[in-house]
Amino acid sequence: MTLLFFAGCAAWLVRESRELGGRPGMMSLGVAVASGGLALVALGALVGLSRGGRLVALRSRAEMGTYALVLATMGVLALVGLRLLSAEGRPALATFCLGVAGWLAGVGLHAVPALFLGPTGFIDSLGRRTPFSRLEWFSFQREQGDLPRVRLQAGQGTRLLLASRLDSSEEAAVRAALLGAGLTVRRR
């Protein structure tokens, strides 16, 4: 759905840029390029997730500061989109702004899963892979607070290659998969 939305926005923005001309047209053309880039990111995620085999969605969570930053960015984009729609009559650019705000809600607020566990490794919501073959160690660290969270870290040598904040209920399944892949537990 993300791929179709941003590809459609890119085409609509190109058409709008031709109609506007001048500086506003150039701005719409630049945003069309950005929309095309987001469509390519969505295509990469689609390919990565479809090639991942049987995937289990992990309930990952972001830090509280990240949620505040995402909410602020969503608010600004929504206001800009509404202003463009009502006052300036630029529906393609307004739709793009509102769409990015919605996409941020899904990805940034974890309305859609952000991390998947597959038979050969981890895949994030953008299609980036972290195969078990690149990892040597992992650790879990329980976080203090009202909500049960655990921080997963995995790496190779001294390099950290994967860091995620998960619901505590995910720890047993992830631990079993990592031990089954031959990784060692790293103690603090």
Side-chain angles (χ1 to χ4, degrees), residues 117 122 132 135-140 152 171-187:
L117 177 62
F122 295 96
F132 293 142
L135 301 173
E136 294 175 353
W137 56 266
F138 71 94
S139 69
F140 286 101
L152 163 66
E171 182 178 356
V174 173
R175 181 183 299 273
L178 293 173
L179 288 172
L183 277 70
T184 60
V185 179
R186 184 177 187 184
R187 306 266 183 230

Side-chain angles (χ1 to χ4, degrees), residues 1-7 37-55 103 107 112-113 116 123-129:
M1 188 164 62
T2 305
L3 171 64
L4 294 175
F5 175 79
F6 286 121
L38 287 173
L40 288 175
V41 167
L43 178 63
L46 179 65
V47 169
L49 291 172
S50 64
R51 290 178 50 206
R54 186 178 176 103
L55 299 173
W103 180 71
V107 174
V112 295
F116 298 87
I123 301 173
D124 69 8
S125 61
L126 299 177
R128 294 177 297 201
R129 298 174 154 275

